[in-house]
Amino acid sequence: MNLDTEFLEKLASAEPAPGGGGASAYAGALAAALAAMVGNLAVGKPKYADEQEGIRASLDRLAQLRARLLELVPADADAYLPLNRAYRMPRGTEDEAAARQAAIQEALGPACDIPLEIMEACSAIIDEADYLARHGSKLAVSDAGAAAVLARGALVSAAMNIFLNVDSMTDPERALRYRARVNEMMISAQMRSDIVASLVMGYLQ
């Protein structure tokens, strides 16, 4: 098995991107793949004959989530770089400071929206992990729990990027909308991933 380390090397470097958002998306894709294994191990098995339709539907959704999260790895970098450039703009005069602030405010939206989409995808993975923990291969139930926990970690990581960017927003209502949505998703993800983890631990202990 060949592991492509190019992304990890760039992540570890001093380059401004990729960063936390891309890492979150990549971790989410790993969670989706791990959850899918739990389903694939049950596909075609007589023991899970009554679950085949639901498992295959879950696998289709996980494949879409995994593909989208991998797209969001470079998308997050592309969204952040204009913001990074805006922060580096000169601000020695009033006009320069105003132009810099306008560029920052314009770039903050995409820099928040991509991590928000990462959060939404990771939230959906938790639901799939929950389903597969209950209906997928019991031989891999620990992987369903791991997928839920990993997806929640990726979701929280993406949330941190949003909170950091929201702090630079000059429109308080705009900032409040992002904070409210992110907090809502984090609370929900915590509750649902804890349910999956407890369920899995119940099987294992």
Side-chain angles (χ1 to χ4, degrees), residues 126 130 133 141 144-146 148-149 190-205:
I126 295 172
D130 185 302
V141 69
V149 172
Q190 174 74 65
M191 293 174 58
R192 289 179 292 119
S193 64
D194 282 351
I195 289 171
V196 181
S198 295
L199 175 70
V200 169
M201 287 300 187
Y203 286 135
L204 298 176
Q205 292 179 335

Side-chain angles (χ1 to χ4, degrees), residues 82-83 85-107:
L83 180 60
R85 288 193 293 269
Y87 279 127
R88 294 171 181 271
M89 290 173 64
R91 49 180 168 175
T93 68
E94 287 188 10
D95 286 345
E96 286 177 342
R100 175 180 179 273
Q101 187 60 253
I104 290 172
Q105 296 309 307
E106 181 178 355

Side-chain angles (χ1 to χ4, degrees), residues 130-169:
D130 185 302
Y131 176 82
L132 291 167
R134 299 172 193 274
H135 303 285
S137 173
K138 292 299 181 285
L139 294 175
V141 69
S142 62
D143 295 300
V149 172
L150 182 58
R152 177 187 168 265
L155 183 149
V156 173
S157 175
M160 291 178 180
N161 283 266
I162 297 172
F163 284 137
L164 179 66
N165 290 327
V166 162
D167 281 342
S168 297
M169 290 182 177

Side-chain angles (χ1 to χ4, degrees), residues 42-89:
V43 170
K45 302 293 176 61
K47 180 179 178 180
Y48 303 100
D50 294 340
E51 309 291 349
Q52 293 299 299
E53 184 177 350
I55 289 172
R56 291 181 187 277
S58 180
L59 289 172
D60 286 343
R61 291 189 293 269
L62 283 166
Q64 293 172 17
L65 288 164
R66 185 170 73 248
R68 181 55 184 154
L69 282 163
L70 288 176
E71 291 173 349
L72 289 171
V73 173
D76 182 77
D78 291 342
Y80 174 71
L81 288 174
L83 180 60
N84 181 260
R85 288 193 293 269
Y87 279 127
R88 294 171 181 271
M89 290 173 64

